[in-house]
Amino acid sequence: MNVFSGSTIAQQMYTRERRGVFRSTEGFDTVAKSDSLDNNFVKKILHPFCLYDAPAELTARGEKDEAAYPGALHLFHAENGDTVIGLSRYQAADFTGQRSAFFAHNYVVPASRSEEIVQSYGDWLHADFAERYTGELGGTLPELPSIPVVRTDRSPDPIAGLRLLGIDEGIFKALLQAVMLSVAGKKKIYVALNVPITELSARAVELTEILYSVLPYEFRRRLGVITYANEPQSRKYIHLSFVEKGSLRPGDRSIEKDYTFDLASGRMGNVDFGETRQPYADLVWKLLLLNPGDINDFVSFADQILRGESPEHKLTLSFYNELAIFYEIEQGNEHLYTENKSAVLSGLLSYLKPDGAIHSRIRLNDIFLERFDREFDLIRQRNVPDPAIMECFKEYFVLKDHNYRVRIVDYFINGMLHSVEAGRKDILSAAYGIIESNDELSAAYFQRVMSETYFRKQLLEPYMESRLAAASRSADILSFVLHWGRFLPVALEQSFAQNAVKDYLLEKLQLEHDPVASVAEIHEIVDKAEKDRRKGTGVAPKALSLMQDLAASADRFLLNRLSLSDMTQEELLEVVFLRYGNVVDWQPPLDRISKQKENALRAAYRWFGEEKPNEEIFTGLSPQELDDVQLLGRRLLKEARVLEPFERLPLAFYYTTQREGGPLDYDALLELLKRKAGSDKEIIYRFFAWSQGNPLFTVSNKKLQPGYRKAILKYFLSSDREAFKNREFRKNYVAAARPALQNVYNEARSQLASPLARWISRSRFRLLISGSITGILVIIAIIVFSMLRPDDTKTALPGTSPEPTPVQSAGNVLPPASVYLKDQSVEGDKGSSILVFTFASADDCVQFQPTEI
């Protein structure tokens, strides 16, 4: 809402008259105003404050003297930034002379001049107001260049004024804090002064002026006050209200949450701010006692510090408590610093951290540096430093635009040297933690330490020793080197540092629960450092070289630590140096035992790491190395949950020298398969099918390795005699077999067949038996003999039909089978019987084992 065109002060008057600006009939209304005042502003902002309720004490006794009635002065700030200063006076009679009324006069200071209250609050509180309006009703009031002031004698001694009002130190401090909290929040303050009612408004103005004098600028800009009201009433824009004695009644729920100061009865409500110290209130009281003029210096100091902060920040009481401590320290109260040094330094830093604050808040910066100089003097006197104070100086070190970095580093060095002399390892440990937390400080500190031999011996070497000893894992040693290699690689060029990291690396590796994983992590750190180096970032070349040497030491340790009889497949595949083939250049060279282990491990790594390993992985191995790797491989295969894919299996039974039966120990291989397969014979069948394409099992397309052939026959005869009775096996594996495996299957099937089937297979023709009794008897004898064989297959249960066994004769496949006995009359041979055996395929012929005719 734009009220003014300029920066002059507008006026408005209000009373009961025949007519006014906004009404044409008699009643209360604005009777005159400045033309620049907006009508809406007058009605919505000013009219609610144009009122007066006479004191109950005076009305009860029928007081007629207008001078006995206290004026109601109000001063507040509207949302648009305008400031209103007004006064409502009691009138014994209105224009009719028949009833009482009141007269209100308001000055409206435009927002462009609202800052004047910071220094001119006294003049505004003592403004000269008109007692009545004598001009034309609805007339225009002139705009003023300034607020007229009543020249009255003002108390030069605020403490004396407070005492006259019965306000002691405790009440004043509580009232001051209540005012600040009210301005920052929503609670109202109601004060009932213990003074005659006729003096209430004047004494209220005096107390308000004292409060304004000790309030920070931001609170002066916002505080709203009214110097008289007959009852406590919450009003918009008003924080502090002075009310008639007796109006603050106990139990009044309308004010139960507000701050109340009933000085007449001695009752105060909601003003118990705890036992904690309030530095700002303490400072104000002290300055009021000693030199009230210094208060302006403090509030100016506070306003300058908080310039640029948010309004919420500027209205926070805790910040003024903090600034009060800084101010007192600046004025020489060193006790406030010594009793809580780190809190003071941390508080100062919170104001110095924003960009440019060192220059814009120079008084705080000077306070901080003066404290630093005092602390440095204590260190020169061979005192040990306080880690909390060192942390504060580290925070200041990283700030911009100051020249104290060298002095701060010297402070750390001197303090830590004295800690060494005093045997304060706790101080040293904390100090190093502080230094390490910032790379810039670390680099400056250690560069300075390395510049002198004495510093290096006393500080650098013990530091490295302690940090390496404290490392929990071997990878931490590499991280330590990586850290130093980035910000101060020259430190790693010291022989002590190189020897220390190597010794501690081996020490930590000895304690690792999983050394294989630990060494792999070391290589990961080194690999990342190498990648970063290639990108132009990361560690210096010499530091990277040291990291590579440490990784090589870890590999040598791991090689010595590994046991072929204990390691798992996961551990084998995680051994990093095995990934690089035979390119590892061991320096110094490995001894014979270690080299033998390495060769075995490399072969094993290829065996279980490559997708389709073959016997070439054993090339160059000595007999002992071959034994070692095959023992390892067999154990890993036995421990494996699955055996497929089968490529790894043959290598566990491979002979490097030529053998008559073939290059593998086939019997042992099939034994392993049988144990791992258990009852799942499908695994073995799949292995037979897979082996057909591998030269370790075949001589040619039609012939298997002799040893393999025998092993398969042995398997069927000893462990799987029913295989060829299984149609799925015959369909999926036998029928699909290549000639070499097919021949072995036929041989196994033949050896498992019954005598009759074998006899029929040898006969190689289709049987037709007819006519003679002798022929029938021969057949019956053969059948009975077959049934009585002790090793024959089990007789079929009654009501079931045995599964026929196929036969192959001279490679010819016979037609589909049927077996039946048929009575048939043939011309020329009456009553003759024909027994017909029809074998349609080799399978049916071999499987045929008649049990009943």
Side-chain angles (χ1 to χ4, degrees), residues 51-76:
L51 54 85
Y52 188 90
D53 292 316
E57 177 184 342
L58 298 181
T59 56
R61 71 184 187 212
E63 180 65 52
K64 300 298 182 181
D65 183 7
E66 291 183 353
Y69 289 80
L73 174 73
H74 54 257
L75 188 158
F76 65 87

Side-chain angles (χ1 to χ4, degrees), residues 819-851:
V819 180
Y820 57 92
L821 179 65
K822 182 177 181 182
D823 289 333
Q824 182 177 351
S825 296
V826 181
E827 185 178 350
D829 192 359
K830 184 178 180 180
S832 63
S833 298
I834 301 175
L835 180 63
V836 179
F837 297 87
T838 305
F839 303 102
S841 71
D843 287 345
D844 289 338
C845 181
V846 172
Q847 291 294 331
F848 174 62
Q849 296 182 18
T851 59

Side-chain angles (χ1 to χ4, degrees), residues 328-567:
E328 289 212 66
I329 293 172
E330 181 189 47
Q331 301 306 309
N333 189 352
E334 199 66 22
H335 174 70
L336 290 176
Y337 170 69
T338 56
E339 70 180 5
N340 201 344
K341 293 182 177 181
S342 61
V344 172
L345 294 174
S346 297
L348 289 167
L349 281 166
S350 68
Y351 292 95
L352 296 174
K353 285 181 178 179
D355 290 343
I358 284 181
H359 298 302
S360 64
R361 295 168 175 173
I362 192 168
R363 287 176 69 174
L364 290 185
N365 188 57
D366 289 344
I367 295 171
F368 187 93
L369 294 180
E370 286 175 9
R371 305 290 81 70
F372 173 80
D373 291 339
R374 291 172 185 267
E375 293 299 326
F376 207 165
D377 288 341
L378 292 175
I379 292 298
R380 289 196 180 101
Q381 296 168 20
R382 310 192 78 79
N383 289 304
V384 297
D386 181 349
I389 295 176
M390 299 178 82
E391 177 70 30
C392 294
F393 292 159
K394 180 209 77 173
E395 293 294 329
Y396 189 83
F397 178 91
V398 302
L399 299 182
K400 300 177 181 178
D401 303 326
H402 71 85
N403 56 3
Y404 261 63
R405 284 186 172 83
V406 173
R407 286 177 57 77
I408 291 174
V409 170
D410 286 344
Y411 168 85
F412 272 91
I413 291 175
N414 282 276
M416 295 167 74
L417 285 173
H418 298 327
S419 299
V420 171
E421 295 171 0
R424 294 296 303 272
K425 293 183 179 180
D426 57 330
I427 299 293
L428 280 173
S429 178
Y432 279 125
I434 293 169
I435 291 171
E436 288 174 335
S437 66
N438 181 265
D439 286 347
E440 190 177 357
L441 176 59
S442 295
Y445 170 82
F446 286 108
Q447 283 174 350
R448 180 78 174 89
V449 167
M450 290 184 59
S451 66
E452 296 188 25
T453 303
Y454 177 73
F455 292 167
R456 187 172 65 249
K457 292 291 185 183
Q458 293 295 314
L459 297 177
L460 179 62
E461 293 183 6
Y463 162 77
M464 286 190 166
E465 186 81 25
S466 65
R467 285 297 180 262
L468 292 171
S472 59
R473 302 178 304 120
S474 54
D476 294 338
I477 306 298
L478 272 293
S479 298
F480 178 88
V481 176
L482 182 64
H483 171 74
W484 281 85
R486 282 175 174 164
F487 87 93
L488 194 59
V490 67
L492 297 175
E493 297 176 13
Q494 306 293 317
S495 59
F496 164 80
Q498 296 181 1
N499 294 333
V501 293
K502 291 177 181 178
D503 291 343
Y504 275 102
L505 175 67
L506 296 178
E507 178 183 309
K508 303 303 177 182
L509 283 171
Q510 292 284 355
L511 303 175
E512 294 284 8
H513 175 70
D514 187 352
V516 174
S518 299
V519 175
E521 185 178 2
I522 288 172
H523 278 279
E524 289 177 3
I525 296 173
V526 176
D527 289 346
K528 186 177 185 307
E530 290 174 343
K531 291 178 182 178
D532 291 342
R533 181 64 190 169
R534 287 193 292 271
K535 295 176 183 178
T537 61
V539 299
K542 291 185 179 180
L544 179 59
S545 177
L546 177 59
M547 294 178 69
Q548 292 167 339
D549 290 345
L550 292 175
S553 297
D555 289 339
R556 185 181 291 271
F557 166 85
L558 185 60
L559 179 61
N560 294 330
R561 178 76 173 269
L562 289 174
S563 171
L564 296 179
S565 61
D566 296 329
M567 70 185 309

Side-chain angles (χ1 to χ4, degrees), residues 640-788:
R641 288 180 296 178
V642 295
L643 294 178
E644 297 176 274
F646 298 115
E647 280 79 0
R648 295 188 180 92
L649 277 176
L651 301 181
F653 306 95
Y654 178 75
Y655 298 125
T656 56
T657 58
Q658 187 63 34
R659 301 292 180 98
E660 182 178 350
L664 304 179
D665 185 347
Y666 301 102
D667 288 332
L669 189 157
L670 291 185
E671 274 302 313
L672 174 62
L673 270 171
K674 285 164 54 180
R675 284 197 299 272
K676 296 295 290 184
S679 60
D680 186 7
K681 299 186 184 305
E682 281 283 327
I683 295 176
I684 298 175
Y685 301 156
R686 290 197 297 271
F687 176 80
F688 289 159
W690 169 83
S691 67
Q692 298 177 95
N694 192 307
L696 294 175
F697 297 90
T698 60
V699 176
S700 66
N701 187 44
K702 295 184 178 181
K703 186 176 182 181
L704 298 181
Q705 292 284 359
Y708 187 40
R709 171 181 168 278
K710 291 179 182 179
I712 293 176
L713 293 174
K714 179 181 178 181
Y715 164 76
F716 281 113
L717 293 174
S718 64
S719 304
D720 198 4
R721 298 184 62 86
E722 304 297 318
F724 294 97
K725 295 181 180 180
N726 186 326
R727 288 187 181 275
E728 291 299 320
F729 169 65
R730 299 198 307 271
K731 176 181 177 182
N732 296 332
Y733 296 100
V734 176
R738 298 178 188 176
L741 184 59
Q742 183 73 255
N743 290 336
V744 178
Y745 280 155
N746 290 341
E747 186 174 355
R749 180 171 48 194
S750 177
Q751 292 185 24
L752 291 171
S754 64
L756 174 59
R758 289 196 296 272
W759 175 76
I760 293 174
S761 177
R762 286 194 301 270
S763 298
R764 296 186 182 180
F765 65 92
R766 191 174 187 182
L767 294 176
L768 178 61
I769 305 174
S770 63
S772 68
I773 297 300
T774 301
I776 293 173
L777 291 176
V778 170
I779 296 303
I780 291 173
I782 292 172
I783 293 170
V784 170
F785 176 77
S786 174
M787 292 173 60
L788 294 178

